[in-house]
């Protein structure tokens, strides 16, 4: 391999160093929304005093499937986008709660469904540039109704059952467009061994 090319690669890698945090504080602290302000030093030596990030809690998102092969989704109004969204059930972790514990609790609260087995599919981040807090995805097979929903005062959730084909069609038609839901759906299909033969 050309020596100049190797030097170019090494120079590029050297530019990929982590930023150095000089100080950090909460700029806005509310139970529903927290903003952190960091003072950082870039690898170039430049100082940025006002790097703001949304300090969110971790979230569990579940892909529940009934024994009949229907996917269970939530349909509810989301004020930030001003629209009724169709998404897989999800919710924030409680303090000191483990991912699967949060997934089981949130699924039961939002849908009334549970299952014997919850399979961890992966950890995602919506916006790694500006968001602190991750999304933990779980596949829930053979989900069954155990009890009624236990909703928060801001939640008005209608449950919908869709087939795999119906979800794909809704994604293609931009009727389902939440990033976490789309990512979770395709992670679940991969785990289930689905292959598109077209």
């Amino acid at each position: 391999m050309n020596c100049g090319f190797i030097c170019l690669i090494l120079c590029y890698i050297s530019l990929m160093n982590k930023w150095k945090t000089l100080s950090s504080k909460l700029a806005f602290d509310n139970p529903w929304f927290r903003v952190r302000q960091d003072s950082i030093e870039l690898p170039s030596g430049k100082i940025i005093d006002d790097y703001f990030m949304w300090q969110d809690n971790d979230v569990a998102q579940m892909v529940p499937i009934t024994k009949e092969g229907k996917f269970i989704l939530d349909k509810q109004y989301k004020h930030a986008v001003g629209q009724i969204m169709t998404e897989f059930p999800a919710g924030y972790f409680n303090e000191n709660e483990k991912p699967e514990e949060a997934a089981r609790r949130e699924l039961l609260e939002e849908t009334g469904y549970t299952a014997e087995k919850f399979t961890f599919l992966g950890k995602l981040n919506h916006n790694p540039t500006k968001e602190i807090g991750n999304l933990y995805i779980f596949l829930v097979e053979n989900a069954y109704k155990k009890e009624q929903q236990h909703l928060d005062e801001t939640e008005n959730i209608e449950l919908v059952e869709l087939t795999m084909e119906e979800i794909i069609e809704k994604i293609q038609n931009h009727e389902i467009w939440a990033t976490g839901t789309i990512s979770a759906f395709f992670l679940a299909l991969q785990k289930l061994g689905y292959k598109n033969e077209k």
Side-chain angles (χ1 to χ4, degrees), residues 176-190:
I176 291 178
W177 53 284
T179 55
T181 288
I182 293 173
S183 300
F185 177 63
F186 286 107
L187 283 172
L189 291 189
Q190 182 184 43

Side-chain angles (χ1 to χ4, degrees), residues 22-90:
L22 304 176
S23 66
S24 184
K25 66 178 181 181
L26 278 177
F28 182 78
D29 190 9
N30 179 281
W32 295 100
F33 200 86
R34 294 191 304 278
V35 177
R36 194 177 95 187
Q37 179 181 353
D38 283 3
S39 174
I40 57 170
E41 181 181 343
L42 301 179
S44 65
K46 179 177 175 61
I47 305 294
I48 298 177
D49 289 322
D50 57 351
Y51 194 90
F52 291 94
M53 293 160 286
W54 173 27
Q55 188 166 309
D56 198 12
N57 291 333
D58 288 332
V59 170
Q61 183 156 43
M62 296 65 66
V63 182
I65 310 173
T66 66
K67 64 181 181 180
E68 293 79 22
K70 294 289 188 73
F71 291 81
I72 301 164
L73 297 97
D74 291 348
K75 197 171 185 180
Q76 62 178 318
Y77 174 75
K78 293 299 179 80
H79 189 63
V81 293
Q83 293 190 37
I84 295 172
M85 301 286 286
T86 303
E87 303 172 272
F88 283 118

Side-chain angles (χ1 to χ4, degrees), residues 88-198:
F88 283 118
Y92 288 113
F93 286 26
N94 286 337
E95 189 175 356
N96 299 321
E97 198 170 32
K98 294 179 180 175
E100 187 174 327
E101 292 171 345
R104 288 182 176 276
R105 176 184 54 75
E106 281 292 340
L107 182 64
L108 195 61
E109 288 177 3
E110 285 198 4
T111 69
Y113 279 77
T114 191
E116 296 299 321
K117 185 179 179 183
F118 281 57
T119 304
F120 177 63
L121 297 179
K123 181 173 75 171
L124 308 176
N125 186 287
H126 288 296
N127 182 0
T129 302
K130 289 291 183 180
E131 182 180 355
I132 302 166
N134 298 307
L135 187 64
Y136 291 77
I137 308 295
F138 286 86
L139 173 63
V140 184
E141 297 177 82
N142 299 317
Y144 62 91
K145 187 80 170 181
K146 182 181 180 182
E147 57 189 54
Q148 296 303 310
Q149 296 165 289
H150 300 281
L151 302 177
D152 295 335
E153 63 180 355
T154 59
E155 294 176 321
N156 182 14
I157 296 173
E158 175 190 341
L159 300 182
V160 293
E161 294 187 5
L162 299 173
T163 64
M164 177 186 69
E165 292 79 11
E166 287 171 331
I167 293 176
I168 291 173
E169 183 178 352
K170 286 181 179 296
I171 291 171
Q172 291 172 336
N173 292 337
H174 312 293
E175 296 174 56
I176 291 178
W177 53 284
T179 55
T181 288
I182 293 173
S183 300
F185 177 63
F186 286 107
L187 283 172
L189 291 189
Q190 182 184 43
K191 183 67 177 180
L192 294 167
Y194 169 78
K195 291 182 174 60
N196 188 351
E197 297 178 356
K198 290 185 180 180

